[in-house]
Amino acid sequence: KDIVAIPTSIRTKEQAESLGIPLVTLDTHSKLDVAIDGADNVDPGFNLVKGGGGALLREKMVELAADKFIVIVDESKLCDGLGPGFPIPVEITPFCHEHTIRAIAALPSCAGCKPMLRMGSSSNNKVDGDEIAVTDNGNYIVDLHFTEMIKNSPKMAADLKSLCGVVDHGIFSGMTTAVIIAGVDGVTVKTPEKKDKIIFNLAIASAAIGVAAMLASAISRRR
């Protein structure tokens, strides 16, 4: 009853409201205790790809405002390097979007990428319509497809962020407090090497691990 939450998309807002979860916004609560979310890919350096569901901007705004960012994934989301495993989504302004897409492809740090404008629903990166997908913020998304691992994800993230026409991107670097991983052998917790000890609310930790355990059970059943 003492917990309030900030949704990161219209869809999750509607789901939270249907469950009676008290909601606020960053306008009234700029400092958050914890953010808990999933990821589309996680590399050994704890760099993440997020935004497959189209909410990358709002997710990043909320997670940057949190003291701790806990990521929950199943083991299929782990990778040796970002790029081939999941396209990198980039949210761009509709104005002159084709120009922006060309500028993204020309960045040296994005070498080898094949940019594809997201079509249909913004909530997935599959082509499921003839219209350009529009995010909750009224922007477009271009998905960057790679066949080889990105050489320097943080550098690419900085280059994309500095490009005029780019609103934000789906690379989340240097943000993760812990990754809770569900696998066939159970649930494991990994933390960045530079963080010696992770302390976060026991109830939150238990809930997060509970979700991961359910994922692990689902993985076992699938296999």
Side-chain angles (χ1 to χ4, degrees), residues 48-102:
L48 315 176
V49 175
K50 291 178 53 59
L56 62 95
L57 174 61
R58 297 189 186 195
E59 289 171 349
K60 189 174 288 186
M61 289 178 67
V62 169
E63 285 146 16
L64 282 171
D67 288 338
K68 297 174 180 64
F69 176 32
I70 311 302
V71 179
I72 303 176
V73 297
D74 66 60
E75 60 187 3
S76 70
K77 303 300 178 69
L78 304 181
C79 64
D80 294 329
L82 303 186
F86 199 91
I88 311 298
V90 182
E91 189 160 345
I92 63 175
T93 60
F95 177 74
C96 296
H97 65 277
E98 293 182 358
H99 161 77
T100 302
I101 292 172
R102 289 194 296 270

